[in-house]
Amino acid sequence: MAQEHNRPAKSTWLTNPWVILANVSLGTFMSTLDGSIANVALPTIAGELSAPIHVVQWVLTAYLLTICATLPIMGKISDMFGRSRIYNYGFLIFAIGSALCGISGSLGLLIGSRILQALGAACLMSNSQAIIAEVFSSKGRGRAMGITGTMVSLGSLTGPGIGGILVEHLGWTSIFWINVPIGIFGFIAGWFILPKDRNRKEQQPFDYTGSTLFMVGMVAFLYVISGGQDWGWLSPTVWIGGGLSLVVLILFYLWEKRTRYPMLDFTLYRIPAFAIGNITALLSFVALFFTNVLMPFYMHDVLGFSPAKTGYTMMVYPLVMAVVAPISGWLSDKIGSYSLTTAGLLVNALAFGLLNTLSTNESAWMVGLHLGLFGLGGGLFQSPNNSSIMGSVSRDKLGTAGGLNALVRNIGMVLGTSLSISIYSSRLSYLRPLSSGEPEAALHALHTVFWTAMGICLLALLVSVQRMRVKPRQAKPGHS
């Protein structure tokens, strides 16, 4: 009876959960892909729009900051007005934003269009897991989460490769135009495929004050983190900006605790499975983006690989994860999430330790073998972890939970990128005068980064093992 509200009386192939999953997977892949697809196009965009590279960097930064600032808000709006409706509008907003990016003749218009595009991506990201958790029973949820986890991995990690091919052959605008037909198709298909939203008799007022405080605090905090390396971590800009952003976030927390209809329901973090899942996901993404950012530096600067060879070698990571994640999700339906998430974090910690055995003279297949371990560890961890998080909350909180889960992922990406570059740059500056050459200095600096990432993985592992104590108290999505 729990799922009859979102099913037509007559069942057809359009209402098949796996068809719904295909639509959700399309939106998940497209929205995560655009977080990294523009990386390789920045030099070209800078040249054609006559803008300095540090300003053009906002084409990436504006997209990620907008997503982080609006994910929980979109999740809350979805719980109020319907997950399928907001998700499907995400396709349309994303397509419109992509078309505006494609016709942008100035950097200002391009950045503004990327912000609109990111709003569509936030609609998609905040609801994908919630829709899957709602239409799949507990027996199939892990497997479905595994497939969406695969889409996240493929979208996040294949962006530079796909972007490079498109920019080289069709120009930089093609990386945005390609989204337009996909977005329109997804919107039309979702109109018929996605489950119908329940009628909500009692409409809660929207928390404008809390939403504003969250957006200002989160954007300011991530902006300071992203620019800390350039400004200097001990500079007044970082300390003042970071302090003010934390004050705003604290005010947001205090407001949410006292208001009757909060934008972000902090009571979700009283659910042990939800809290543990989010903490481990944050730490995992921070650590894994150490490799995503710095392994290309290792292959290019130390091993002398060409950009194409580097790109093909990096593809081993998402491809292995694409195979492992659905299997891991299927297993989590059978044996639970505890052993799989713990094993995944252990494999990732081991993989970071093994990266420190690489030398200044390695073949592509050896580097790819090491990266494949991260695909194995990430695949083992992410799908069961997502299933555990979404399976621990009541049905009416799925949108909020999905938004928070996606927010944690994106914050982890930003923190991992900034932290890894900062550690690498600082260590490289120190080692250059002490080393026999640039490759040796770079390699030793990378070792420091990878040992740090291993420590972060082990910390996540210590948090994850607490699942054994709280597993029996998890709630089901259908529970209210």
Side-chain angles (χ1 to χ4, degrees):
M1 294 294 294
Q3 293 182 346
E4 289 180 0
H5 68 271
N6 58 10
R7 286 286 183 275
K10 183 178 180 181
S11 178
T12 68
W13 68 271
L14 288 175
T15 62
N16 187 303
W18 295 101
V19 176
I20 296 172
L21 175 63
N23 182 270
V24 171
S25 297
L26 179 65
T28 301
F29 177 78
M30 185 176 68
S31 57
T32 53
L33 177 74
D34 266 60
S36 60
I37 195 172
N39 291 25
V40 295
L42 292 186
T44 304
I45 295 173
E48 293 193 13
L49 299 182
S50 302
I53 193 69
H54 71 275
V55 178
V56 174
Q57 185 71 24
W58 273 96
V59 173
L60 302 178
T61 306
Y63 184 84
L64 292 176
L65 290 184
T66 302
I67 288 176
C68 289
T70 57
L71 270 171
I73 297 172
M74 292 302 181
K76 179 63 177 180
I77 291 174
S78 300
D79 284 336
M80 293 172 60
F81 300 104
R83 284 181 280 277
S84 295
R85 181 182 293 111
I86 299 302
Y87 176 87
N88 213 32
Y89 286 155
F91 271 121
L92 196 59
I93 296 170
F94 196 92
I96 294 172
S98 298
L100 291 174
C101 287
I103 63 174
S104 295
S106 67
L107 187 60
L109 179 57
L110 178 58
I111 293 173
S113 302
R114 284 284 279 176
I115 291 174
L116 180 62
Q117 197 184 35
L119 291 174
C123 293
L124 295 168
M125 290 181 180
S126 63
N127 289 289
S128 58
Q129 293 179 357
I131 292 172
I132 295 306
E134 189 168 2
V135 300
F136 278 85
S137 66
S138 58
K139 293 183 179 179
R141 189 182 305 118
R143 186 179 178 190
M145 290 290 184
I147 294 174
T148 56
T150 298
M151 293 299 106
V152 170
S153 173
L154 289 176
S156 301
L157 300 174
T158 60
I162 295 174
I165 294 172
L166 290 173
V167 171
E168 182 175 347
H169 296 288
L170 299 174
W172 68 267
T173 58
S174 63
I175 64 177
F176 302 115
W177 281 117
I178 193 174
N179 295 319
V180 176
I182 297 175
I184 293 173
F185 172 79
F187 174 76
I188 295 173
W191 191 265
F192 298 98
I193 291 172
L194 295 177
K196 303 305 178 185
D197 294 309
R198 289 181 293 177
N199 292 325
R200 289 162 170 77
K201 296 180 181 180
E202 296 183 4
Q203 195 65 264
Q204 296 182 0
F206 185 71
D207 181 15
Y208 291 100
T209 301
S211 299
T212 301
L213 288 172
F214 178 82
M215 285 192 292
V216 172
M218 184 56 65
V219 168
F221 176 73
L222 293 178
Y223 178 74
V224 170
I225 293 295
S226 299
Q229 176 60 33
D230 295 330
W231 303 326
W233 290 106
L234 299 178
S235 67
T237 302
V238 170
W239 282 93
I240 296 174
L244 290 176
S245 65
L246 291 177
V247 168
V248 174
L249 290 174
I250 291 172
L251 290 174
F252 162 72
Y253 173 77
L254 295 175
W255 171 265
E256 295 298 281
K257 295 290 287 184
R258 60 170 289 189
T259 187
R260 185 177 179 184
Y261 299 106
M263 182 274 287
L264 198 160
D265 187 359
F266 281 99
T267 61
L268 289 176
Y269 289 98
R270 297 176 186 172
I271 304 172
F274 183 86
I276 291 172
N278 273 276
I279 293 171
T280 53
L282 174 65
L283 294 172
S284 175
F285 272 97
V286 169
L288 290 177
F289 260 68
F290 276 41
T291 59
N292 194 42
V293 172
L294 289 181
M295 282 305 289
F297 281 90
Y298 167 69
M299 285 182 270
H300 182 269
D301 295 343
V302 178
L303 301 182
F305 286 4
S306 66
K309 191 175 183 179
T310 299
Y312 288 130
T313 307
M314 287 293 293
M315 286 292 289
V316 176
Y317 179 174
L319 290 177
V320 172
M321 188 170 178
V323 174
V324 175
I327 299 173
S328 175
W330 174 77
L331 282 174
S332 72
D333 293 331
K334 305 291 184 182
I335 64 175
S337 62
Y338 169 76
S339 57
L340 293 167
T341 53
T342 304
L345 291 170
L346 191 60
V347 169
N348 281 337
L350 175 64
F352 275 116
L354 291 175
L355 283 182
N356 290 292
T357 66
L358 294 176
S359 67
T360 57
N361 184 24
E362 300 286 354
S363 62
W365 73 267
M366 178 58 71
V367 178
L369 187 63
H370 283 71
L371 290 174
L373 278 177
F374 289 101
L376 173 61
L380 286 172
F381 169 78
Q382 287 189 31
S383 306
N385 191 61
N386 289 338
S387 181
S388 173
I389 291 171
M390 301 304 292
S392 68
V393 303
S394 59
R395 184 181 298 277
D396 63 327
K397 301 290 186 181
L398 284 174
T400 301
L404 287 172
N405 195 19
L407 172 66
V408 162
R409 181 175 70 235
N410 282 274
I411 291 178
M413 292 177 184
V414 175
L415 292 178
T417 299
S418 301
L419 184 59
S420 61
I421 291 176
S422 180
I423 295 174
Y424 176 74
S425 300
S426 301
R427 190 63 176 161
L428 185 60
S429 298
Y430 173 78
L431 290 171
R432 271 190 179 124
L434 307 176
S435 302
S436 57
E438 184 72 16
E440 288 75 15
L443 182 63
H444 286 96
L446 286 168
H447 285 173
T448 303
V449 172
F450 295 144
W451 284 123
T452 304
M454 182 180 180
I456 295 173
C457 276
L458 291 175
L459 178 60
L461 181 63
L462 290 176
V463 177
S464 183
V465 295
Q466 302 302 314
R467 294 177 202 268
M468 181 59 76
R469 301 179 183 177
V470 303
K471 184 179 177 182
R473 295 191 292 181
Q474 290 183 14
K476 298 299 180 186
H479 173 67
S480 59

